[in-house]
Amino acid sequence: MKIIQVTTILTSPNQNYLFVKIITDSGVYGVGDASLNGREQAVADLIDAYLTPLLIGRDPGQIEDFWQLAYRGTYWRGGNIMMSALCGIDMALWDILGKTSGKPLYALLGGKMRNSVLCYSHILGKTMEDKIARAADYVKQRQLKVIRLRAGIPAAAGTFGVKSPQNGPLVEPWNPEEEIYNSIEYFIRVREAVGRDVGIIYDLHERFSPDQAIRIMRSLELYNPFFIEDPIAPDCVDSLRYVREKTSVPIAFGELYKSRWECLPAITGHWVDYIRCDVIRVGGITEARKIASLAETYDIKTAWHGPNDVSPITHAVNWHLNVSEYNFGIQEDGTTDGLIHEVVSGGPVYENGSLFMEDRPGIGCDVDEAAAARYPFRKAYIPICRQGDGSLHTW
């Protein structure tokens, strides 16, 4: 069996996505997700111009060989655009392997260790007061065991929805010193609203300095966070160690990591309790399972990144990884309603605080190219933050 065609599918059913379809001479094809918010066109160009010629005529079962070829063959390794492109291809190749063997992806990864996947959902609302007022009813209605909050009110709500092409990023005001007290108050009031038995994840979204993050985390120790997500930016590696040493709160980190090598200091130093890379950003299934194995060696759990702007294909991959990993911790609930389901079929289903999937060969998803064409791609940017003095701040 040989690869005869590689197609990139740019589409925007309210949110921009980039899908990859790899077709073989036997008629079997696989699909993958290569979306990179704000840079989808660049990823598509890399696949079309440089990686597709390397794929045509290859055996699709040589997944590891192609991963190494694409990663090391550039000489200058990695980067978000390369790793997203590699992910879309890697997923599609694993999908083909599952379909040709007649087995779901998790069976290829060693089989199930669990039947359902514990997940957490986001508390949504336009203001802090709105979110606090909704929290208890939302938990009860969805029978949630764990919820997630995010620093920043309303935290650029709706900025990923693409209604028309953008000529530049949307700007959100952010003054971290002023937000420290708001962030602490927000968490405490939600804890009071939902009670002590509900786990609360708090995403600081890399918006605070190490000392600011420590102040917040120490103030919340008595309120038992499930974990604090991305308390600082990843650029200074040693800052994560510094934060770890100053607080007892569990830490989840890794959304901006692009490979196992970037994960290594946090894992080997045991600076985190949960590794939460985005499978799309680290080069797909092949790399994600290696990261999970490294984390297991150091008693660190997985919590793969998966907000509701990520496609059902990636959420399906997350689910297959989750059910087959020993050191699974928790999964971000990215199940969505809306236009994306006209384009992508399949994916996890939410029920009473957990995620489930039917057994289908491969990843278990498909892309309707005709439906994708009804929602043309529109250029968009990741939002940015600016402080009161006009200076740029990590979003």
Side-chain angles (χ1 to χ4, degrees):
M1 185 167 59
K2 301 295 182 184
I3 296 169
I4 61 171
Q5 184 179 341
V6 180
T7 302
T8 52
I9 305 165
L10 278 166
T11 183
S12 188
N14 191 49
Q15 159 73 31
N16 283 338
Y17 299 97
L18 171 61
F19 302 120
V20 178
K21 186 174 183 179
I22 297 179
I23 303 172
T24 68
D25 56 5
S26 69
V28 176
Y29 66 87
V31 297
D33 187 353
S35 306
L36 177 61
N37 288 332
R39 296 295 184 272
E40 298 87 358
Q41 185 67 64
V43 179
D45 291 344
L46 175 59
I47 294 172
D48 292 339
Y50 290 95
L51 298 181
T52 292
L54 301 179
L55 286 162
I56 299 300
R58 288 181 63 94
D59 175 357
Q62 293 182 299
I63 300 173
E64 179 72 26
D65 183 73
F66 183 80
W67 198 99
Q68 299 295 345
L69 170 64
Y71 182 78
R72 300 179 189 278
T74 60
Y75 185 69
W76 292 277
R77 296 169 174 83
N80 285 325
I81 293 171
M82 170 56 81
M83 300 309 279
S84 295
L86 184 48
C87 174
I89 293 168
D90 187 76
M91 285 184 181
L93 294 177
W94 278 98
D95 195 29
I96 291 171
L97 183 60
K99 288 174 178 175
T100 55
S101 65
K103 296 179 179 180
L105 175 60
Y106 70 77
L108 306 179
L109 301 177
K112 279 186 179 179
M113 294 201 67
R114 57 190 57 82
N115 294 316
S116 63
V117 169
L118 175 67
C119 68
Y120 62 92
S121 289
H122 302 191
I123 298 294
L124 301 176
K126 294 182 178 180
T127 65
M128 182 172 75
E129 296 298 332
D130 188 24
K131 293 180 182 181
I132 294 168
R134 292 184 182 189
D137 285 343
Y138 188 68
V139 167
K140 183 177 180 180
Q141 174 190 352
R142 289 177 60 87
Q143 299 186 34
L144 287 162
K145 301 175 181 65
V146 184
I147 58 174
R148 180 259 200 188
L149 311 176
R150 176 179 153 183
I153 309 298
T159 53
F160 284 118
V162 181
K163 305 299 183 184
S164 60
Q166 297 176 354
N167 293 318
L170 298 174
V171 179
E172 179 184 0
W174 181 255
N175 291 292
E177 276 294 331
E178 296 177 9
E179 291 294 338
I180 289 174
Y181 299 103
N182 290 337
S183 299
I184 295 169
E185 178 190 3
Y186 180 34
F187 186 99
I188 293 172
R189 290 179 63 187
V190 171
R191 169 59 75 203
E192 292 170 347
V194 302
R196 66 181 184 180
D197 295 330
V198 177
I200 303 179
I201 288 167
Y202 203 14
D203 181 7
L204 299 188
H205 216 267
E206 304 144 4
R207 292 189 172 201
F208 297 94
S209 70
D211 286 323
Q212 291 167 341
I214 290 165
R215 286 162 60 188
I216 293 171
M217 294 166 74
R218 282 182 169 174
S219 297
L220 298 180
E221 286 176 353
L222 293 177
Y223 299 91
N224 194 28
F226 189 93
F227 61 63
I228 297 296
E229 174 183 335
D230 294 336
I232 57 170
D235 307 276
C236 179
V237 174
D238 204 48
S239 290
L240 185 59
R241 176 196 58 78
Y242 175 69
V243 170
R244 176 64 157 192
E245 291 174 350
K246 303 294 184 180
T247 175
S248 63
V249 172
I251 295 173
F253 207 77
E255 180 177 334
L256 296 188
Y257 287 158
K258 299 178 288 299
S259 71
R260 79 195 89 134
W261 293 280
E262 288 191 355
C263 296
L264 267 180
I267 292 174
T268 59
H270 215 294
W271 300 343
V272 299
D273 301 274
Y274 296 83
I275 193 74
R276 58 177 312 277
C277 299
D278 193 324
V279 175
I280 306 178
R281 311 291 179 250
V282 298
I285 299 158
T286 297
E287 184 76 346
R289 63 198 300 240
K290 294 174 183 177
I291 291 171
S293 294
L294 285 170
E296 180 189 344
T297 308
Y298 288 84
D299 292 325
I300 293 168
K301 295 181 179 181
T302 64
W304 303 112
H305 184 236
N308 55 15
D309 60 291
V310 171
S311 86
I313 296 175
T314 295
H315 286 300
V317 168
N318 287 340
W319 186 89
H320 286 286
L321 291 167
N322 292 332
V323 296
S324 59
E325 291 164 355
Y326 170 75
N327 55 324
F328 164 71
I330 196 167
Q331 176 61 53
E332 189 169 12
D333 171 26
T335 55
T336 57
D337 298 318
L339 299 178
I340 184 58
H341 294 291
E342 296 182 22
V343 177
V344 178
S345 59
V349 176
Y350 175 88
E351 183 180 340
N352 299 335
S354 294
L355 298 173
F356 301 85
M357 272 192 71
E358 296 180 359
D359 273 356
R360 297 178 183 174
I363 293 172
C365 293
D366 202 357
V367 178
D368 185 331
E369 293 186 61
R374 293 198 296 268
Y375 301 104
F377 171 77
R378 300 178 176 92
K379 185 177 70 173
Y381 292 78
I382 284 281
I384 62 172
C385 283
R386 289 196 181 275
Q387 301 184 88
D389 63 1
S391 59
L392 192 69
H393 192 280
T394 299
W395 185 75

